[in-house]
Amino acid sequence: MNDEQKQQGTGAGGDFEEQLRELLTEGANTIRPAPVPYPAIRRRGTTERRRVAAAGAALVALAALPVGAYALADGGAGGNTAASVGAMPRTSATPTPTPSASPSGPARPATEDQLLDGITFGQAVDGLEKCLAYDRSLPHSPSGHRPDLGAAEEYRIILAMNSTGDSNAPGDGMYVVAVKERPQQTRLICNVKDGEASGLNTSVGADDLPDAGPVAADSNGGKLHRQSVLDRGNWKLPFRWGVIGTVEPSVARVTVSYGGATSQAALDHGWFVASGVLDQQVTVAPRIKGYGADGKLVYDSDEDKNYEKRL
């Protein structure tokens, strides 16, 4: 083989080798996978860690909520559990305090006719409170002979009317009559003049009189239907009067006649209350009659030996 032939063979072989080298390079590029995208993998891992942390926080929030707060929205139908948890109202660990109830005050009379002469219930309550305060200001004996009359809200007001002054107690004013049943039956007649308590008459305990009938006039209620005995025959007229007492459940109706006029009494939780206006001088006490549900007379003060019939 001459030098020319050697050079030609070498050239052809060199071309072949060069071509083979190019083919192997292209095949390697085709078979070898692309370089690993490390930055993208790192970002994806960071995102997944954040999702796991958010899910953990949601589970902690659920554990902290009260049992009643576990009414989550359904995850199906496009529901988002995390969004449902976030939308639930927050509950307070300390409940809102309930305002304490204020005292109800004295009970009202059974009928509005027991509030007379334009006296309002509020004015009657104010008078009762002033008289109870007046009683507390008085000295009480250590033996407890004068028991504490209690608070105004323990009472029921059964009568309020104008009072007429006389030679024994000058000056007009207002009478307030109130009663309570516990701890024992108590009745008070309070006189208020010029906005101040000026007199108080009380009776504690029931009047256990012998042979008492189904109707019993209050034994100390005379101040409501008469002026001073010093002025007998010379009373100031017209004169607003009242009569109070107790009745048994069998009594359905009570009437009181005084000075030629008869008044229908109001029945109020075991008490009767009657009133009227006197326009003449009198010397005979009011006459009281009680009737049963059948309309029959069951009591007549004219036949009651315990009742004082003359003034």
Side-chain angles (χ1 to χ4, degrees):
M1 186 178 293
N2 57 28
D3 295 335
E4 183 177 355
Q5 288 175 335
K6 289 180 180 177
Q7 289 177 0
Q8 289 177 354
T10 301
D15 292 339
F16 174 77
E17 291 175 0
E18 183 67 23
Q19 290 176 5
L20 180 59
R21 219 180 266 117
E22 289 177 0
L23 289 173
L24 291 173
T25 301
E26 290 175 2
N29 288 336
T30 302
I31 297 171
R32 185 178 60 189
V36 177
Y38 289 108
I41 293 175
R42 185 174 182 276
R43 288 194 301 270
R44 182 178 180 85
T46 302
T47 302
E48 292 298 326
R49 285 196 298 272
R50 289 175 179 172
R51 289 179 180 174
V52 172
L59 291 174
V60 172
L62 282 173
L65 288 173
V67 175
Y70 286 157
L72 301 180
D74 185 3
N80 188 319
T81 303
S84 301
V85 172
M88 286 188 297
R90 295 181 180 179
T91 57
S92 174
T94 304
T96 303
T98 303
S100 57
S102 58
S104 59
R108 300 183 68 93
T111 70
E112 291 300 319
D113 293 339
Q114 294 163 244
L115 300 175
L116 304 168
D117 306 318
I119 299 171
T120 66
F121 181 67
Q123 291 171 330
V125 171
D126 181 68
L128 172 61
E129 291 174 342
K130 288 178 177 177
C131 288
L132 291 173
Y134 169 76
D135 179 72
R136 287 191 293 269
S137 70
L138 299 175
H140 286 237
S141 65
S143 63
H145 180 67
R146 291 183 61 252
D148 181 26
L149 295 178
E153 56 264 27
E154 300 175 27
Y155 286 83
R156 182 175 64 258
I157 293 175
I158 63 172
L159 178 62
M161 67 180 197
N162 286 343
S163 65
T164 302
D166 52 42
S167 59
N168 187 50
D172 296 341
M174 172 181 70
Y175 276 127
V176 177
V177 183
V179 298
K180 69 174 183 177
E181 304 303 323
R182 296 182 179 86
Q184 55 185 332
Q185 188 182 88
T186 303
R187 188 273 301 138
L188 64 85
I189 300 174
C190 173
N191 196 6
V192 179
K193 295 180 180 179
D194 298 325
E196 300 293 336
S198 63
L200 181 63
N201 178 274
T202 62
S203 175
V204 178
D207 292 333
D208 295 327
L209 299 175
D211 302 325
V215 179
D218 190 282
S219 58
N220 293 306
K223 59 170 60 266
L224 295 173
H225 63 257
R226 69 185 180 203
Q227 297 179 32
S228 171
V229 294
L230 301 176
D231 301 320
R232 178 176 295 179
N234 192 31
W235 287 0
K236 294 180 181 179
L237 299 175
F239 169 60
R240 165 66 72 183
W241 60 267
V243 175
I244 62 171
T246 57
V247 292
E248 293 182 355
S250 60
V251 177
R253 185 168 67 94
V254 174
T255 62
V256 178
S257 301
Y258 195 34
T262 300
S263 297
Q264 184 85 13
L267 302 184
D268 192 339
H269 297 79
W271 291 80
F272 76 88
V273 181
S275 182
V277 176
L278 196 65
D279 57 7
Q280 59 178 300
Q281 302 293 333
V282 292
T283 57
V284 178
R287 184 177 183 180
I288 305 168
K289 292 182 179 182
Y291 300 85
D294 56 2
K296 292 183 178 180
L297 182 69
V298 296
Y299 174 82
D300 187 343
S301 60
D302 277 359
E303 300 175 3
D304 186 352
K305 63 180 181 180
N306 296 313
Y307 185 73
E308 187 64 42
K309 302 172 181 60
R310 300 191 65 83
L311 298 173

PDB file of all heavy atoms in Angstrom, residues 38 82 102 108 147 166 180 191 220 262:
ATOM      1  N   TYR A  38     -33.261  20.536  40.580  1.00  0.00           N
ATOM      2  CA  TYR A  38     -33.172  20.684  42.032  1.00  0.00           C
ATOM      3  C   TYR A  38     -33.917  21.912  42.558  1.00  0.00           C
ATOM      4  O   TYR A  38     -34.609  21.831  43.602  1.00  0.00           O
ATOM      5  CB  TYR A  38     -31.695  20.730  42.450  1.00  0.00           C
ATOM      6  CG  TYR A  38     -31.009  19.388  42.314  1.00  0.00           C
ATOM      7  CD1 TYR A  38     -30.077  19.178  41.291  1.00  0.00           C
ATOM      8  CD2 TYR A  38     -31.304  18.348  43.187  1.00  0.00           C
ATOM      9  CE1 TYR A  38     -29.461  17.940  41.158  1.00  0.00           C
ATOM     10  CE2 TYR A  38     -30.692  17.118  43.058  1.00  0.00           C
ATOM     11  CZ  TYR A  38     -29.773  16.910  42.033  1.00  0.00           C
ATOM     12  OH  TYR A  38     -29.183  15.705  41.917  1.00  0.00           O
ATOM     13  N   ALA A  82     -61.602  23.336  56.170  1.00  0.00           N
ATOM     14  CA  ALA A  82     -60.832  24.393  56.830  1.00  0.00           C
ATOM     15  C   ALA A  82     -61.590  25.690  56.837  1.00  0.00           C
ATOM     16  O   ALA A  82     -61.627  26.423  57.825  1.00  0.00           O
ATOM     17  CB  ALA A  82     -59.483  24.555  56.136  1.00  0.00           C
ATOM     18  N   SER A 102     -84.504  43.075  90.100  1.00  0.00           N
ATOM     19  CA  SER A 102     -84.777  44.103  91.095  1.00  0.00           C
ATOM     20  C   SER A 102     -86.008  43.713  91.898  1.00  0.00           C
ATOM     21  O   SER A 102     -86.856  42.946  91.443  1.00  0.00           O
ATOM     22  CB  SER A 102     -85.019  45.449  90.392  1.00  0.00           C
ATOM     23  OG  SER A 102     -86.088  45.337  89.487  1.00  0.00           O
ATOM     24  N   ARG A 108    -100.197  45.031  94.007  1.00  0.00           N
ATOM     25  CA  ARG A 108    -101.292  45.966  93.772  1.00  0.00           C
ATOM     26  C   ARG A 108    -102.584  45.457  94.418  1.00  0.00           C
ATOM     27  O   ARG A 108    -102.741  44.261  94.644  1.00  0.00           O
ATOM     28  CB  ARG A 108    -101.516  46.157  92.267  1.00  0.00           C
ATOM     29  CG  ARG A 108    -100.317  46.711  91.512  1.00  0.00           C
ATOM     30  CD  ARG A 108    -100.670  46.920  90.050  1.00  0.00           C
ATOM     31  NE  ARG A 108    -101.640  47.985  89.902  1.00  0.00           N
ATOM     32  CZ  ARG A 108    -101.306  49.259  89.676  1.00  0.00           C
ATOM     33  NH1 ARG A 108    -100.034  49.617  89.562  1.00  0.00           N
ATOM     34  NH2 ARG A 108    -102.240  50.182  89.539  1.00  0.00           N
ATOM     35  N   PRO A 147     -91.987  44.251 116.908  1.00  0.00           N
ATOM     36  CA  PRO A 147     -91.227  43.523 115.883  1.00  0.00           C
ATOM     37  C   PRO A 147     -90.975  44.392 114.661  1.00  0.00           C
ATOM     38  O   PRO A 147     -91.707  45.350 114.382  1.00  0.00           O
ATOM     39  CB  PRO A 147     -92.149  42.342 115.541  1.00  0.00           C
ATOM     40  CG  PRO A 147     -93.530  42.845 115.868  1.00  0.00           C
ATOM     41  CD  PRO A 147     -93.362  43.748 117.060  1.00  0.00           C
ATOM     42  N   ASP A 166    -108.369  66.524 112.031  1.00  0.00           N
ATOM     43  CA  ASP A 166    -109.359  66.887 113.043  1.00  0.00           C
ATOM     44  C   ASP A 166    -108.637  67.579 114.193  1.00  0.00           C
ATOM     45  O   ASP A 166    -107.436  67.870 114.108  1.00  0.00           O
ATOM     46  CB  ASP A 166    -110.135  65.650 113.527  1.00  0.00           C
ATOM     47  CG  ASP A 166    -109.222  64.514 113.963  1.00  0.00           C
ATOM     48  OD1 ASP A 166    -108.201  64.791 114.636  1.00  0.00           O
ATOM     49  OD2 ASP A 166    -109.510  63.352 113.635  1.00  0.00           O
ATOM     50  N   LYS A 180     -99.696  41.911 104.944  1.00  0.00           N
ATOM     51  CA  LYS A 180     -98.862  40.785 104.509  1.00  0.00           C
ATOM     52  C   LYS A 180     -99.237  39.580 105.352  1.00  0.00           C
ATOM     53  O   LYS A 180     -99.763  39.710 106.469  1.00  0.00           O
ATOM     54  CB  LYS A 180     -97.377  41.110 104.624  1.00  0.00           C
ATOM     55  CG  LYS A 180     -96.844  41.228 106.048  1.00  0.00           C
ATOM     56  CD  LYS A 180     -95.321  41.408 106.029  1.00  0.00           C
ATOM     57  CE  LYS A 180     -94.743  41.460 107.440  1.00  0.00           C
ATOM     58  NZ  LYS A 180     -93.269  41.574 107.447  1.00  0.00           N
ATOM     59  N   ASN A 191    -100.445  57.021 107.823  1.00  0.00           N
ATOM     60  CA  ASN A 191    -100.941  58.363 107.504  1.00  0.00           C
ATOM     61  C   ASN A 191     -99.764  59.221 107.052  1.00  0.00           C
ATOM     62  O   ASN A 191     -98.746  59.311 107.748  1.00  0.00           O
ATOM     63  CB  ASN A 191    -101.618  58.989 108.727  1.00  0.00           C
ATOM     64  CG  ASN A 191    -102.466  60.187 108.362  1.00  0.00           C
ATOM     65  OD1 ASN A 191    -102.649  60.490 107.185  1.00  0.00           O
ATOM     66  ND2 ASN A 191    -102.990  60.882 109.357  1.00  0.00           N
ATOM     67  N   ASN A 220    -108.805  47.594 114.862  1.00  0.00           N
ATOM     68  CA  ASN A 220    -108.122  48.887 114.972  1.00  0.00           C
ATOM     69  C   ASN A 220    -108.340  49.774 113.750  1.00  0.00           C
ATOM     70  O   ASN A 220    -107.609  50.740 113.551  1.00  0.00           O
ATOM     71  CB  ASN A 220    -106.623  48.665 115.176  1.00  0.00           C
ATOM     72  CG  ASN A 220    -106.312  48.032 116.518  1.00  0.00           C
ATOM     73  OD1 ASN A 220    -106.723  48.526 117.559  1.00  0.00           O
ATOM     74  ND2 ASN A 220    -105.599  46.919 116.499  1.00  0.00           N
ATOM     75  N   THR A 262    -125.043  52.796 101.022  1.00  0.00           N
ATOM     76  CA  THR A 262    -124.471  51.451 101.054  1.00  0.00           C
ATOM     77  C   THR A 262    -123.423  51.311  99.959  1.00  0.00           C
ATOM     78  O   THR A 262    -123.652  51.695  98.807  1.00  0.00           O
ATOM     79  CB  THR A 262    -125.560  50.391 100.865  1.00  0.00           C
ATOM     80  OG1 THR A 262    -126.520  50.503 101.926  1.00  0.00           O
ATOM     81  CG2 THR A 262    -124.954  48.990 100.873  1.00  0.00           C
TER      82      THR A 262
END
